[in-house]
Amino acid sequence: MSITDQFNLTGKTALVTGCNRGIGKAMAEALAEAGADIIGISSSLPSADSEVQKSITGLGRKFYPYQVDLGDRAKLYDFVGQVKIDHPKIDILINNAGIILRQPAAEHSDEYWDQVLNINLDAPFILSRELGKEMVARGYGKIIFTASLLTFQGGINVPGYTAAKSAIGGLVKALANEWAGKGVNVNAIAPGYINTDNTEALRNDPVRSKSILDRIPAGRWGLPEDFKGPAVFLASDASSYVSGTTLTVDGGWMGR
């Protein structure tokens, strides 16, 4: 198989959560550019004519939108049941949806903690388990989590987010240990400081923004488009011997 063929996703179907904007939208578009049809999930995704849908159908690929509140366990299970009926063969799962709620640890409420872990940890595990068992049965699949620099570090004023993203790093290894030998690759991408909604507060703080930029060897905030290549790599046959790893896309932050 040629190297270009290894990156070709023609005939594959990918489910991408949090696809309506930012990193998730860029990853969904990248998989479509590589040939995949996309099942798009977001709590804010319109049923038709979203920007991501226009982009993906403009590439000649199919786009199936679902509006799902991943923080509602009952609604999540309803979605899982329906999507299995609608799309019996899902080849790629990208667990990208997430939220961040900032509050010092001494004031971090149970409500904040529960909201963040429900969406950032519980939902990705449930989706991975429910769709992953189908991949294992078929002997093929790719599961990609969106991790974080806080998979490795502690962060400031985001204890719930750090706990969830640290757990994602462990979950990737746990699933990979069980499924790598069964044809299912499980990996993660850890974004650095990216120009998205989640970092707006940091970018608007001149002191924090400067301290962050001073530490990034690349000298800039990342962009959602920086995740297109890594997503296609981990979703394709080019990464068939990559399992249980977390790939940092951070402008060199962790190397610093």
Side-chain angles (χ1 to χ4, degrees):
M1 182 185 294
S2 72
I3 188 63
T4 52
D5 287 340
Q6 288 183 44
F7 284 92
N8 192 332
L9 299 179
T10 300
K12 305 297 185 185
T13 298
L15 190 156
V16 183
T17 71
C19 71
N20 200 34
R21 59 184 184 271
I23 293 171
K25 180 173 181 286
M27 291 196 291
E29 290 170 342
L31 299 191
E33 287 179 50
D37 294 324
I38 306 298
I39 303 167
I41 315 301
S42 172
S43 62
S44 59
L45 187 65
S47 58
D49 296 326
S50 65
E51 289 302 314
V52 64
Q53 180 168 6
K54 292 175 184 176
S55 175
I56 287 169
T57 56
L59 294 165
R61 306 268 63 85
K62 295 176 182 177
F63 182 79
Y64 307 97
Y66 291 81
Q67 188 177 93
V68 184
D69 179 0
L70 295 177
D72 185 317
R73 186 72 60 90
K75 291 179 180 177
L76 174 58
Y77 276 112
D78 286 344
F79 163 71
V80 168
Q82 188 61 52
V83 81
K84 284 185 175 184
I85 293 170
D86 296 344
H87 307 280
K89 180 174 173 286
I90 296 173
D91 305 286
I92 301 158
L93 168 63
I94 296 187
N95 287 306
N96 171 73
I99 62 170
I100 187 166
L101 297 175
R102 301 179 187 277
Q103 200 171 49
E107 303 161 20
H108 204 77
S109 66
D110 289 352
E111 181 183 13
Y112 270 28
W113 180 271
D114 291 342
Q115 284 184 56
V116 171
L117 266 71
N118 282 342
I119 293 173
N120 293 12
L121 180 60
D122 296 351
F125 171 67
I126 291 169
L127 287 170
S128 298
R129 182 189 64 205
E130 296 302 311
L131 299 181
K133 67 177 68 174
E134 308 289 341
M135 295 176 180
V136 168
R138 291 193 302 270
Y140 181 88
K142 302 282 187 173
I143 299 176
I144 304 165
F145 290 80
T146 296
S148 169
L149 292 183
L150 300 192
T151 301
F152 311 101
Q153 301 176 328
I156 299 171
N157 295 332
V158 287
Y161 186 84
T162 299
K165 292 302 184 179
S166 295
I168 288 296
L171 181 58
V172 165
K173 295 181 181 71
L175 296 179
N177 286 345
E178 294 191 34
W179 294 347
K182 299 176 181 179
V184 179
N185 298 87
V186 183
N187 294 287
I189 297 172
Y193 287 91
I194 312 301
N195 189 340
T196 64
D197 294 347
N198 275 357
T199 61
E200 184 176 5
L202 295 178
R203 289 182 286 109
N204 290 338
D205 181 331
V207 175
R208 289 292 305 280
S209 181
K210 183 179 185 304
S211 70
I212 288 168
L213 281 174
D214 285 347
R215 182 174 164 169
I216 299 173
R220 66 172 177 89
W221 290 80
L223 299 172
E225 290 72 22
D226 291 320
F227 294 84
K228 287 189 168 187
V232 171
F233 169 62
L234 290 178
S236 71
D237 289 338
S239 61
S240 62
Y241 200 58
V242 179
S243 197
T245 195
T246 297
L247 172 63
T248 55
V249 181
D250 62 356
W253 176 281
M254 289 300 294
R256 190 75 172 265

